[in-house]
Amino acid sequence: DIVYEDEKVFAFKDINPAAPAHILIIPKDRMNLTNLRRSSAEHIEILGRLLVVAGEVAKNQDLGFIDGARIIINDGTDAGQ
């Protein structure tokens, strides 16, 4: 289920949730960014947008968020990606 979408990103419910409110937020265009460790100044806008969207999604009590959210960035196989 898509819970948020704009011209740059979309957010959807995880099919195997590890928490009552487990939402994935991804860019529509990864701009060749395959790992956060490979980010550069050209990725500042999309990375910032992802965090702002995470904050907006975390305000949605209908998704199970009540008083805050745990926001995690997994990066690579060692992080379970």
Side-chain angles (χ1 to χ4, degrees):
D1 295 345
I2 294 177
V3 300
Y4 176 89
E5 183 173 13
D6 68 20
E7 67 279 356
K8 300 279 187 177
V9 304
F10 65 98
F12 55 93
K13 293 181 179 180
D14 193 293
I15 59 171
N16 292 312
H22 189 161
I23 307 298
L24 302 174
I25 303 169
I26 63 172
K28 290 182 176 179
D29 178 2
R30 292 181 9 181
M31 301 173 57
N32 296 317
L33 183 59
T34 56
N35 293 97
L36 188 61
R37 291 164 288 144
R38 295 184 178 145
S39 63
S40 65
E42 72 181 292
H43 301 108
I44 289 172
E45 181 185 349
I46 192 61
L47 292 172
R49 184 181 216 102
L50 290 167
L51 287 174
V52 168
V53 169
E56 288 298 315
V57 168
K59 295 175 187 174
N60 189 334
Q61 292 186 353
D62 292 336
L63 296 174
F65 297 105
I66 305 302
D67 187 26
R70 182 175 169 208
I71 297 172
I72 299 171
I73 299 172
N74 291 323
D75 187 39
T77 53
D78 288 345
Q81 243 185 340

